[in-house]
Amino acid sequence: KATVGGIKGHQLGAALYLAGAHLIEQAPDAASQQSFMDGQFTHKSLRTHAANEFRACAQLTRDPEQRVKYIDMANAVAPKKLW
C-alpha cells in the first residue's frame, strides 16, 4: 500500500478536503446539502481537516516564510468562529 507523506502528502490532503467542501458549497440547495460521502463529512469538518493539513505543513517546513504562508492558508480555509 503506497502512501504520500511529508509536506506533499499534507498538501494533497488539504486539496482533497477542500474539494469536498467546494462540492457541498456548489450544491444547488446548499442548505439541505450539508454532508459529503453519505454524511461522513460535513462542510465544517472538511474545512477543519483542510486547515489541520496546512498546519501540519507549517510544522514540517524549516523555512520561516513558508511556515507563515501555511498558517495563513490554514486560517483562510478554517471555518469561521462566531464567539
Side-chain angles (χ1 to χ4, degrees), residues 16-26 36 42-43 46-47:
L16 291 173
Y17 287 126
L18 285 175
H22 291 310
L23 282 174
I24 292 173
E25 290 169 1
Q26 299 299 320
F36 179 65
T42 64
H43 180 261
L46 289 165
R47 287 193 162 275

Side-chain angles (χ1 to χ4, degrees), residues 8-44:
K8 293 287 185 192
H10 290 293
Q11 289 173 334
L12 178 60
L16 291 173
Y17 287 126
L18 285 175
H22 291 310
L23 282 174
I24 292 173
E25 290 169 1
Q26 299 299 320
D29 184 8
S32 66
Q33 298 292 327
Q34 294 298 314
S35 64
F36 179 65
M37 294 182 63
D38 295 329
Q40 293 179 11
F41 297 102
T42 64
H43 180 261
K44 182 178 178 181

